[in-house]
C-alpha cells in the first residue's frame, strides 16, 4: 500500500514537469567546401543552436531540391548563386529577410548592397565571390596558352580536361571564347556555344563533367591535366599541392565573375536562427575567418583589414585591373533561361 502511494506521488511529480524543449537547430544548404566547420561550431557554442550542414554540387541540384524535393520547407538557410535570386523569388521558394535582425549587413562593401538582382536586399545578402577559370598542372602543360581554346579549338587543345557541370559557367566560357556575352539572350549565339561544349565533351581529351569541387579533385589526383573551376577551389588546390605544380588562369577572352548569396527558404522551420546565423557570418572577424578558409574573395568590407596582406594581393583571389576588365558579371537572363536549359540539356544528353 505504502509503496503504491509512493509510486502515485512519483507519477504526479513527473506529470507536473514540462518536457525540456528540443535544442534549436539550423539546417544549412550550401556548396561543398564552402564553410569553415569551426564557424558553425563556434556559433553553436555561443547560441546553443545546432547547425546541420547539407551540401550540393551544382545549381541544378540545388534548384531541384528546393523546388521538387521539399527543400523549401526543410532548410533554414541556403547559399546560392546570386543570379538565381530573382528566379527563387519568382518561384516563391525564398522569403523576405528581416533586415532589422541583421545589423552586421552594415559590414558589407556598398558594392554588394542594393544589387540590381535584389533591390534593397529584400531577399538576399552577399556571401563570397570569385571567378571562373582554368586550374592546370604546369609540370604537364608548361606554357599553357591562357585561352578557352584549350577546350574549344581542337588544334589548340592540350592535355586532358574536365568541364564544369554548371550550366551558366560552362556555357559562359564557350560564349566568351566566341566573343559573345556570357549573358547573351541570342538563340543563335547560345546554340553555337552549346555546339562547342558538346564537341569538347566528345573530344578524346575530355574527362567528362564534374560539379562543385570535382574538377579540382581530378587535377589534384592527376586524373586530368586541367579543369574548369572556380577561383577559390583552385587556390585551395594550389596551396595544398606539395609539388607546387598547379596554377590558375583566367583566359584572355575573358570570363565570368560571380557572387553567392545567403537566402532563407520560403517555409524554413527556424527563420529566427537563420537570421541569427546570417548576422554571425557578416561579423568582421567571422567574415575574415570565412574567406581565409574558402579561399574566395570577401564582400565584407569590415573583414578586409583582418585578412592577410598576401591574400589581398593574391591575383587569384582579387583579380588585378587587367583581368577585371575582361570579366563579365553574371546576370539573370529572364525568358532566355528556358533556352539555356534547352541547350544545356542537349549538351548533357548527347
Ligand atoms: C565552393 C563553391 C563555390 C560556389 N566549393 C560557386 N558559385
Amino acid at each position: 500500500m505504502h509503496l503504491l502511494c509512493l509510486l502515485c506521488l512519483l507519477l504526479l511529480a513527473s506529470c507536473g514537469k514540462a518536457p525540456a524543449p528540443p535544442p534549436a537547430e539550423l539546417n544549412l544548404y550550401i556548396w561543398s567546401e564552402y564553410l569553415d566547420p569551426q564557424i558553425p561550431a563556434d556559433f553553436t557554442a555561443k547560441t546553443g543552436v545546432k547547425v546541420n550542414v547539407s551540401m550540393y554540387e551544382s545549381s541544378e541540384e540545388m534548384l531541384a531540391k528546393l523546388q521538387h524535393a521539399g527543400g523549401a520547407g526543410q532548410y533554414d538557410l541556403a547559399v546560392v548563386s546570386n543570379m538565381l535570386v530573382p528566379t527563387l523569388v519568382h518561384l516563391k521558394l525564398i522569403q523576405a529577410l528581416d533586415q532589422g535582425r541583421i545589423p552586421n549587413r552594415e559590414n558589407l562593401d556598398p558594392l554588394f548592397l542594393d544589387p540590381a538582382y535584389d533591390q534593397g536586399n529584400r531577399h538576399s545578402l552577399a556571401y563570397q565571390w570569385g571567378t571562373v577559370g582554368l586550374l592546370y598542372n604546369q609540370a604537364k602543360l608548361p606554357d599553357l596558352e591562357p585561352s578557352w581554346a584549350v577546350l574549344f579549338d581542337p588544334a589548340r587543345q592540350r592535355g586532358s580536361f574536365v568541364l564544369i557541370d554548371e550550366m551558366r559557367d560552362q556555357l559562359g566560357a564557350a560564349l566568351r571564347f566566341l566573343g559573345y556575352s556570357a549573358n547573351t539572350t541570342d538563340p543563335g549565339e547560345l546554340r553555337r556555344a552549346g555546339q562547342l561544349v558538346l564537341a569538347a565533351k566528345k573530344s578524346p581529351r575530355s574527362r567528362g563533367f564534374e560539379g562543385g569541387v570535382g574538377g579540382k579533385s581530378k587535377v589534384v589526383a592527376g586524373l586530368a591535366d586541367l579543369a574548369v573551376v572556380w577561383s577559390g577551389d583552385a587556390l585551395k588546390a594550389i596551396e595544398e599541392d606539395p609539388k607546387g605544380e598547379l596554377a590558375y588562369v583566367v583566359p584572355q577572352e575573358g570570363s565570368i565573375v560571380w557572387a553567392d548569396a545567403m537566402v532563407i527558404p520560403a517555409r524554413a522551420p527556424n527563420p529566427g536562427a537563420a537570421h541569427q546565423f546570417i548576422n554571425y557570418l557578416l561579423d568582421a572577424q567571422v567574415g575574415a575567418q570565412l574567406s581565409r578558409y574558402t579561399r574566395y574573395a570577401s564582400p565584407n568590407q569590415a573583414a578586409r583589414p583582418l585578412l592577410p596582406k598576401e591574400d589581398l594581393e593574391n591575383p587569384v583571389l582579387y583579380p588585378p585591373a587587367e583581368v577585371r576588365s575582361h570579366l563579365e558579371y553574371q546576370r539573370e537572363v529572364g525568358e532566355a533561361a528556358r533556352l539555356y536549359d534547352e541547350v544545356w540539356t542537349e549538351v548533357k544528353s548527347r
Side-chain angles (χ1 to χ4, degrees):
M1 189 63 180
H2 278 302
L3 192 62
L4 252 182
C5 279
L6 193 64
L7 264 178
C8 291
L9 274 178
L10 276 174
L11 267 174
L12 273 176
S14 69
C15 278
K17 231 192 270 158
E25 292 195 8
L26 168 77
N27 293 314
L28 170 66
Y29 196 38
I30 187 167
W31 298 92
S32 59
E33 298 187 18
Y34 213 19
L35 177 67
D36 180 349
Q38 192 57 46
I39 292 177
D42 291 346
F43 178 76
T44 305
K46 225 177 127 174
T47 63
V49 178
K50 179 169 175 249
V51 183
N52 307 312
V53 184
S54 307
M55 294 179 216
Y56 66 87
E57 298 294 341
S58 74
S59 294
E60 203 177 347
E61 181 187 344
M62 179 278 295
L63 267 175
K65 181 82 191 183
L66 291 192
Q67 205 178 354
H68 305 297
Q74 178 184 350
Y75 300 118
D76 300 298
L77 180 61
V79 174
V80 303
S81 166
N82 66 4
M83 95 199 143
L84 290 173
V85 170
T87 310
L88 294 171
V89 171
H90 177 74
L91 294 172
K92 299 196 168 47
L93 292 171
I94 56 176
Q95 57 179 276
L97 299 179
D98 181 350
Q99 300 289 343
R101 289 152 96 180
I102 315 173
N104 283 340
R105 72 195 286 279
E106 298 289 315
N107 288 339
L108 282 171
D109 184 327
L111 272 176
F112 291 88
L113 288 171
D114 198 18
Y117 62 84
D118 184 26
Q119 279 170 18
N121 291 92
R122 249 178 76 70
H123 290 89
S124 69
L125 286 164
Y127 184 75
Q128 301 277 271
W129 64 271
T131 58
V132 180
L134 296 168
L135 172 69
Y136 67 101
N137 187 314
Q138 304 177 89
K140 289 182 189 158
L141 303 174
D143 312 317
L144 181 79
E145 186 186 4
S147 165
W148 292 117
V150 299
L151 305 175
F152 301 129
D153 180 350
R156 289 151 79 193
Q157 283 172 345
R158 294 284 175 277
S160 55
F161 56 78
V162 181
L163 299 165
I164 196 161
D165 197 359
E166 184 70 22
M167 175 178 77
R168 289 291 305 276
D169 293 345
Q170 187 58 70
L171 288 175
L175 286 165
R176 293 305 307 222
F177 175 65
L178 290 166
Y180 305 141
S181 161
N183 295 304
T184 189
T185 54
D186 179 298
E189 294 183 359
L190 208 46
R191 293 230 158 78
R192 283 190 66 194
Q195 280 158 9
L196 277 190
V197 180
L198 181 60
K201 170 188 168 179
K202 300 276 184 192
S203 156
R205 294 179 183 277
S206 168
R207 297 296 171 266
F209 287 87
E210 289 287 344
V213 294
K216 161 195 101 162
S217 304
K218 274 195 170 162
V219 174
V220 167
L223 299 171
D225 302 329
L226 71 143
V228 182
V229 298
W230 298 305
S231 46
D233 298 327
L235 187 54
K236 221 185 252 182
I238 292 167
E239 291 173 343
E240 287 167 8
D241 173 28
K243 295 199 219 134
E245 290 176 347
L246 304 181
Y248 177 76
V249 67
V250 174
Q252 65 204 5
E253 296 87 357
S255 187
I256 289 156
V257 54
W258 52 263
D260 286 329
M262 303 179 272
V263 296
I264 302 187
R267 296 181 307 283
N270 195 351
H275 282 90
Q276 224 181 334
F277 195 54
I278 292 177
N279 196 54
Y280 186 74
L281 288 167
L282 290 175
D283 170 80
Q285 293 281 354
V286 177
Q289 183 183 356
L290 180 63
S291 283
R292 275 201 307 270
Y293 175 89
T294 64
R295 311 314 285 134
Y296 282 102
S298 177
N300 188 328
Q301 201 167 42
R304 221 155 287 164
L306 307 172
L307 285 166
K309 192 162 164 278
E310 309 86 80
D311 281 5
L312 296 170
E313 288 169 357
N314 189 323
V316 177
L317 266 157
Y318 299 93
E322 211 285 305
V323 173
R324 278 206 311 271
S325 67
H326 295 123
L327 290 174
E328 199 178 353
Y329 199 73
Q330 220 164 23
R331 286 194 313 271
E332 203 227 1
V333 288
E335 285 295 300
R338 218 170 304 154
L339 201 61
Y340 274 82
D341 281 338
E342 230 173 79
V343 169
W344 187 242
T345 307
E346 171 99 359
V347 167
K348 294 296 296 292
S349 62
R350 281 188 42 193

